[in-house]
Amino acid sequence: MAVTLQQLTQWKQAGRSIISLTAWDYSLAQILDQAGVDIILVGDSLAMVGLGYSSTLPVTLDEMIHHAKAVCRGVKNALVVCDLPFMSYQTSVTQAMVAAGRVLKETGASAIKLEGGQPRMIETVAELTAIGIPVMAHVGLTPQSFQILGYKQQGKTPEQANLILDQAIALAQAGAFAIVLEHIPDDLAAVITDKIAIPTIGIGAGNQCDGQVLVTADLLGLSARQPPFAKSYVNLRQLIINAVSDFTQEVQNHQFP
Ligand code: KIV
């Protein structure tokens, strides 16, 4: 059964954790969907894990759409959410509408995600939801702002924590259907989760969120570098090296084919 936006809110109310992972191509999306992941995010982390850029800033809307199309072709049940990349939505509400509209029309994704909780972004979320485009919000560490924020934990001082809490409340009121909380203190994430009616999806934000998201390359041990809060459940990088070296040996020895 395909996951719906309404189900996510019901799961929050029922205390059923929401599972989210990122995907950037068809075969990975097919496997994650088969494994029962609830939300597959075509995150702009694609820039780093799939395209080899050094940050998320260079990835373009066309590249996101290209990869989101492949992901959607592999998914039957999960809700697919696609990130709007840096500078495809920040200059005006109209720009955000055009970019989000393209994502929904061209890829088959059900929703978009955008970063930030400043007043302009709250207005953008309200306007997108008003025209029927579901929005997942994202506050705390927002990697598209790494030039200003760095990659460090956000919300450590009471002032910063209050600001992030206010942003999360405003984004929920503006109509976001869920919100990613990235790299903020666990107790702040717990307060936000308690205060807003929409699901919080944590990454580096403790275990009191309504769901968790990881970059799948980190979970699989494929990333060359990963953030301190990520966890690898398998070392696929090493398994691939072993398989390739077995193949090489068998070919050299004329054992294969
Ligand atoms: O781009 C991404 O993968 C993300 C997740 C880390 C939430 O935004």
Side-chain angles (χ1 to χ4, degrees):
M1 280 269 287
V3 173
T4 64
L5 300 178
Q6 293 70 26
Q7 243 169 342
L8 299 177
T9 315
Q10 287 162 8
W11 286 339
K12 175 182 175 100
Q13 288 158 358
R16 188 279 208 189
S17 290
I18 297 163
I19 307 302
S20 180
L21 286 170
T22 66
W24 50 89
D25 69 14
Y26 168 77
S27 48
L28 181 61
Q30 229 186 6
I31 296 166
L32 297 184
D33 194 48
Q34 201 183 326
V37 170
D38 301 315
I39 300 175
I40 295 184
L41 173 66
V42 187
D44 61 357
S45 54
L46 149 74
M48 296 159 91
V49 301
L51 302 177
Y53 294 123
S54 63
S55 77
T56 59
L57 302 196
V59 69
T60 65
L61 183 61
D62 284 339
E63 286 170 324
M64 292 301 298
I65 287 175
H66 175 75
H67 284 266
K69 278 160 108 169
V71 166
C72 287
R73 285 193 285 268
V75 173
K76 289 200 175 74
N77 297 317
L79 186 87
V80 179
V81 179
C82 179
D83 258 338
L84 292 188
F86 181 60
M87 291 315 290
S88 72
Y89 63 97
Q90 287 95 338
T91 60
S92 67
V93 170
T94 306
Q95 190 205 23
M97 283 181 173
V98 171
R102 276 196 66 197
V103 168
L104 262 58
K105 280 174 83 85
E106 295 177 34
T107 70
S110 298
I112 60 94
K113 176 165 83 58
L114 50 76
E115 295 183 5
Q118 61 278 38
R120 167 187 285 228
M121 224 33 76
I122 290 157
E123 186 197 348
T124 300
V125 171
E127 295 290 338
L128 288 176
T129 51
I131 60 164
I133 298 179
V135 181
M136 179 182 262
H138 183 159
V139 297
L141 171 55
T142 46
Q144 290 178 16
S145 307
F146 84 95
Q147 308 270 18
I148 289 173
L149 302 179
Y151 289 106
K152 60 182 188 296
Q153 192 184 50
Q154 302 296 305
K156 281 201 283 232
T157 66
E159 295 73 29
Q160 282 176 351
N162 281 332
L163 178 65
I164 294 172
L165 173 61
D166 289 347
Q167 290 177 342
I169 291 170
L171 287 161
Q173 281 168 351
F177 70 88
I179 182 163
V180 170
L181 304 178
E182 180 164 353
H183 210 6
I184 60 172
D186 300 8
D187 54 350
L188 173 59
V191 171
I192 295 172
T193 301
D194 187 51
K195 283 245 183 319
I196 61 176
I198 60 170
T200 57
I201 311 294
I203 174 163
N207 63 13
Q208 296 302 304
C209 297
D210 299 305
Q212 296 291 330
V213 60
L214 276 183
V215 172
T216 303
D218 295 340
L219 175 139
L220 297 178
L222 281 171
S223 309
R225 274 179 309 151
Q226 62 183 45
F229 49 77
K231 178 172 174 184
S232 299
Y233 287 80
V234 62
N235 189 343
L236 214 49
R237 184 174 271 262
Q238 193 55 53
L239 290 179
I240 292 170
I241 291 171
N242 294 349
V244 172
S245 108
D246 288 350
F247 170 66
T248 304
Q249 222 169 11
E250 290 195 6
V251 172
Q252 299 289 9
N253 297 339
H254 301 283
Q255 284 171 285
F256 179 83

